[in-house]
Amino acid sequence: MTTPEAEQGGVADRATPQDAAARPEERLERAVRAAEQALIEYEIAVETFRVEVENFSRLHHQKLGPLYARLEELDARIAEARAARSGDPEDLRKAREARARLLPIPGVEELLHGWMDSDGLFPEAAAMLTDQPVRPPQRVRPSEEARRLYRELVRKAHPDLAQVEGERRRREEFITRVNAAYARGDAGELGELAEEWAAGPKLEEQRPSRSEELYARLEWLAQRKEMLTLVAKELEDSAIASMLRLAPDDPDRLLDEIAEQLRTEVTEREVELQVLLGQE
């Protein structure tokens, strides 16, 4: 796993003998171009890391979600069995709370677009509870070709390279499609988008801006970089990113190990429940 800060490349505006004689606008223009390219590279790194985290999060929920759901169901049934045996008000309260945590939320299907059923379970959890085969986790890992196409498209079509508002909107809409295709790992669609961009309208070369506009541009780029740094920090501080750091080269193995631990806990809970039910 590579974090955005590690992937970001430094872009320096090196001085040349001609700099001393260059007009201030020309030097500012070079600084703006350098800052724009550095920002684009950083955005590519952040977006790549975000896709990596989201894909691992999806795999985590698909692979471990049913086991966590089974444990919660067993905990509720164990609490109910204990309350039925003891009749203690405290045990009854704990049983009600445990069961309440499993009750469906009104309108959950509309809120989650079918991710959960009417009983408040993920499809994988429902399959496990009814002894049906659980569908294998879907894997979305962009190939090297998809990564290459994505980087090339972002570097060419990034909205930050536009100076006219209409062109910025066109680029933003296009990059939204690029990001969606990359998140799906669809190299074919990225290739089609690359052809679409290449066939698009040719833009006139940007004319040198005035000093005040260039200073404002540099300030905006700095603010954008600060915002991306906060996004990257939030991603890196997430629980999923922490798990990725534990096994950057083989995250699937880590999930398999956690799943094995959870299956052991499920077995222990099932034995405990059977003991309680047998004592009634």
Side-chain angles (χ1 to χ4, degrees):
M1 178 189 66
T2 305
T3 61
E5 293 293 350
E7 285 194 10
Q8 183 187 12
V11 179
D13 185 23
R14 298 181 178 178
T16 65
Q18 291 76 24
D19 283 345
R23 292 187 297 110
E25 290 84 355
E26 293 174 348
R27 297 178 65 184
L28 278 172
E29 190 175 20
R30 288 199 298 272
V32 168
R33 286 199 299 266
E36 285 174 342
Q37 291 303 315
L39 181 63
I40 289 172
E41 294 299 322
Y42 190 45
E43 288 204 39
I44 289 173
V46 172
E47 179 63 15
T48 299
F49 187 52
R50 183 191 66 78
V51 168
E52 185 177 2
V53 169
E54 288 189 357
N55 286 339
F56 186 69
S57 177
R58 184 182 299 111
L59 191 64
H60 175 276
H61 288 304
Q62 289 176 330
K63 204 165 192 177
L64 303 184
L67 293 169
Y68 283 122
R70 178 60 173 163
L71 281 172
E72 290 177 353
E73 172 65 24
L74 287 169
D75 285 340
R77 294 178 63 184
I78 288 171
E80 289 168 345
R82 285 175 177 164
R85 288 184 60 229
S86 67
D88 184 271
E90 181 64 15
D91 287 343
L92 292 170
R93 181 188 64 80
K94 291 180 179 179
R96 287 194 299 270
E97 291 180 353
R99 180 55 60 183
R101 287 193 290 270
L102 299 179
L103 291 177
I105 303 172
V108 69
E109 293 189 39
E110 291 77 12
L111 290 172
L112 297 180
H113 305 288
W115 286 11
M116 297 172 69
D117 63 17
S118 58
D119 293 326
L121 297 174
F122 288 99
E124 294 85 357
M128 175 172 282
L129 293 173
T130 55
D131 295 324
Q132 299 298 315
V134 178
R135 66 182 182 184
Q138 298 177 356
R139 308 181 66 82
V140 183
R141 289 186 177 177
S143 64
E144 286 302 318
E145 177 66 8
R147 290 172 183 269
R148 182 187 67 79
L149 288 168
Y150 172 75
R151 292 189 178 100
E152 289 181 359
L153 280 168
V154 173
R155 288 170 183 145
K156 292 177 181 177
H158 200 283
D160 291 349
L161 297 177
Q163 297 292 338
V164 181
E165 184 58 30
E167 175 61 15
R168 169 176 285 277
R169 287 196 298 270
R170 184 179 82 91
R171 286 170 175 260
E172 287 176 346
E173 292 173 359
F174 183 79
I175 287 297
T176 297
R177 295 163 59 197
V178 170
N179 287 339
Y182 182 62
R184 293 192 296 271
D186 193 335
E189 184 175 352
L190 287 170
E192 293 174 0
L193 288 169
E195 294 177 1
E196 177 183 329
W197 182 260
K202 300 294 183 181
L203 301 178
E204 295 181 0
E205 292 185 3
Q206 297 178 3
R207 297 179 180 178
S209 302
R210 295 180 180 179
S211 297
E212 293 80 6
E213 294 173 337
L214 290 169
Y215 276 120
R217 179 69 169 165
L218 285 173
E219 183 178 358
W220 183 88
L221 290 168
Q223 292 172 350
R224 178 72 175 171
K225 171 63 164 56
E226 183 178 353
M227 184 275 291
L228 285 171
T229 300
L230 294 175
V231 172
K233 184 67 165 59
E234 183 177 351
L235 285 169
E236 291 171 0
D237 290 345
S238 67
I240 291 296
S242 297
M243 291 183 66
L244 276 171
R245 282 193 290 271
L246 292 175
D249 298 326
D250 191 6
D252 290 349
R253 179 183 57 78
L254 177 62
L255 290 181
D256 289 339
E257 291 176 357
I258 296 175
E260 188 60 33
Q261 294 173 3
L262 292 176
R263 291 190 191 96
T264 300
E265 293 183 29
V266 166
T267 300
E268 293 172 350
R269 299 286 208 291
E270 288 174 338
V271 171
E272 182 179 359
L273 178 61
Q274 290 302 318
V275 170
L276 287 170
L277 294 176
Q279 293 176 350
E280 292 181 356

